[in-house]
Amino acid sequence: MDDINARLTKLGLELPPAGAPKANYQLLHRDGDLLYLSGHLPMKTDGTLVVGACAPKEIADTSDTYLTTEQGYEAAQHCALNLLSTLQSYLVSQGSDLSNVSKVIKLFGIVRSHSDFIEQHLVMNGASDVIGEVLGKEVGGSHARSAIGTNTLPLGIAVEVEMIAKIKSDDNS
């Protein structure tokens, strides 16, 4: 965990407090050594959500309603930090920590998008980059990933990200 904390510090990042579900579901479900994390929101450390739809730059620059690809990327980074916070909270409750993650298997990202926006994959790089930088390339940086666009997301959020992670099998909790 010391390596992970050092990476967070070096990146100028901190894990927000673990959140709670916004409806009738669990944030995390464990099946053996696999952890399935529900869609996490782009909640900032101050509790505000990143809302809006991503749009091509020429549209986003002329409207407060739309986000640029770069702003979407930042929203996806917040999703990733919230995913890591949920993972950490669960693992601590099991007597472990993030160093017990052996592999991030897959991320699935949904990007609220203007009908002309085609850079969902670039927005999702925000989540992939944070996961890889914090957990290390071998554990978090070489996962499978999907990124899709949609016209709406709950609470007006810009991005939602799910994760499947594998923990070390010597954890018998």
Side-chain angles (χ1 to χ4, degrees):
M1 185 66 191
D2 289 339
D3 289 343
I4 293 169
N5 285 331
R7 287 188 207 112
L8 283 165
T9 300
K10 181 180 177 184
L11 295 166
L13 300 173
E14 76 177 76
L15 296 182
K22 304 292 185 220
N24 189 16
Y25 62 92
Q26 295 178 355
L27 287 180
L28 183 148
H29 174 79
R30 180 175 181 173
D31 185 5
D33 59 358
L34 294 177
L35 303 177
Y36 296 85
L37 284 81
S38 298
H40 278 57
L41 311 181
M43 186 173 295
K44 298 178 182 180
T45 54
D46 67 3
T48 60
L49 292 170
V50 180
V51 297
C54 292
K57 186 166 180 51
E58 61 274 7
I59 295 170
D61 285 346
T62 61
S63 171
D64 292 337
T65 307
Y66 294 108
L67 305 175
T68 63
T69 300
E70 294 76 18
Q71 291 168 314
Y73 178 97
E74 290 175 18
Q77 288 180 311
H78 289 294
C79 292
L81 289 170
N82 285 294
L83 285 162
L84 290 171
S85 180
T86 296
L87 265 177
Q88 172 72 352
S89 177
Y90 172 77
L91 290 169
V92 165
S93 78
Q94 303 299 302
S96 186
D97 59 37
L98 285 174
S99 64
N100 199 47
V101 176
S102 62
K103 187 73 178 161
V104 173
I105 306 295
K106 182 171 184 176
L107 296 181
F108 175 69
I110 309 163
V111 180
R112 185 171 165 208
S113 304
H114 181 278
S115 60
D116 292 334
F117 187 71
I118 59 171
E119 296 184 333
Q120 291 83 3
H121 61 296
L122 299 177
V123 167
M124 272 302 294
N125 282 346
S128 292
D129 290 349
V130 165
I131 298 291
E133 290 168 350
V134 171
L135 296 179
K137 183 172 174 52
E138 291 302 312
V139 173
S142 57
H143 52 266
R145 186 183 84 187
S146 297
I148 65 168
T150 186
N151 66 330
T152 188
L153 283 170
L155 306 173
I157 60 173
V159 183
E160 182 173 339
V161 182
E162 299 177 3
M163 177 194 289
I164 301 171
K166 184 175 182 179
I167 54 176
K168 296 174 184 167
S169 58
D170 61 350
D171 178 34
N172 294 318
S173 52

